[in-house]
């Protein structure tokens, strides 16, 4: 474990061992994880680690941030998409930066095809 002030520095790490330990740190809070997801320097492998982490991947703000991040691997974003609220799918389906595959999947969910 590390103290809260050090978490701010470790959030920018892309070493998966450091990230794995950070995700288990009891001092880490949801806002820290969302900031990691939203940081444009965060590696895809870190996004995948967060999206596969049992503790964090079940939290709605984490799921939403992962789907909104264009760098989240498509397979991960697609696996989360059906777990989002329809009111959150609407802007995702219309955002020009959303990858086409994600946009189309969101549209299908909204239309009831999925």
């Amino acid at each position: 474990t590390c103290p809260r002030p050090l978490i701010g520095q470790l959030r920018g790490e892309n070493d998966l061992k450091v990230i794995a330990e950070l995700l288990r740190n009891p001092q880490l809070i949801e806002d820290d994880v969302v900031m990691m997801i939203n940081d444009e320097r965060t590696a895809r492998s870190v996004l995948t680690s967060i999206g596969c982490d049992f503790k964090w991947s079940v939290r709605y703000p984490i799921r939403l941030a992962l789907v909104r991040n264009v760098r989240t691997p498509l397979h991960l974003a697609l696996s989360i998409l059906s777990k989002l609220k329809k009111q959150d799918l609407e802007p995702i389906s219309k955002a020009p930066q959303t990858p086409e595959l994600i946009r189309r999947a969101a549209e299908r969910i909204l239309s009831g095809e999925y």
Side-chain angles (χ1 to χ4, degrees):
T1 62
C2 68
R4 285 278 321 142
L6 188 54
I7 286 177
Q9 294 174 354
L10 294 176
R11 278 194 319 245
E13 277 290 323
N14 282 321
D15 182 322
L16 292 181
K17 289 180 184 178
V18 172
I19 294 301
E21 291 302 317
L22 185 58
L23 292 176
R24 286 195 287 268
N25 187 323
Q27 299 294 319
L28 188 72
I29 61 172
E30 189 174 272
D31 288 344
D32 294 322
V33 180
V34 170
M35 282 195 276
M36 289 168 61
I37 294 167
N38 292 333
D39 186 338
E40 62 187 33
R41 298 167 296 174
T42 300
R44 288 175 177 256
S45 57
V46 172
L47 297 172
T48 299
S49 292
I50 295 168
C52 294
D53 185 272
F54 180 75
K55 176 182 177 182
W56 297 108
S57 65
V58 296
R59 295 172 178 250
Y60 192 83
I62 304 293
R63 290 177 176 176
L64 185 57
L66 284 167
V67 170
R68 286 180 174 166
N69 188 324
V70 297
R71 291 178 287 79
T72 298
L74 288 175
H75 73 280
L76 179 58
L78 285 170
S79 71
I80 297 169
L81 204 58
S82 65
K83 297 173 179 107
L84 297 182
K85 296 174 186 171
K86 293 195 185 236
Q87 72 243 26
D88 292 324
L89 287 174
E90 185 78 29
I92 290 168
S93 71
K94 294 184 186 317
Q97 71 273 16
T98 301
E100 185 176 348
L101 184 59
I102 301 299
R103 192 170 40 243
R104 287 185 184 199
E107 289 168 355
R108 289 187 70 187
I109 292 168
L110 287 168
S111 70
E113 293 179 41
Y114 180 78

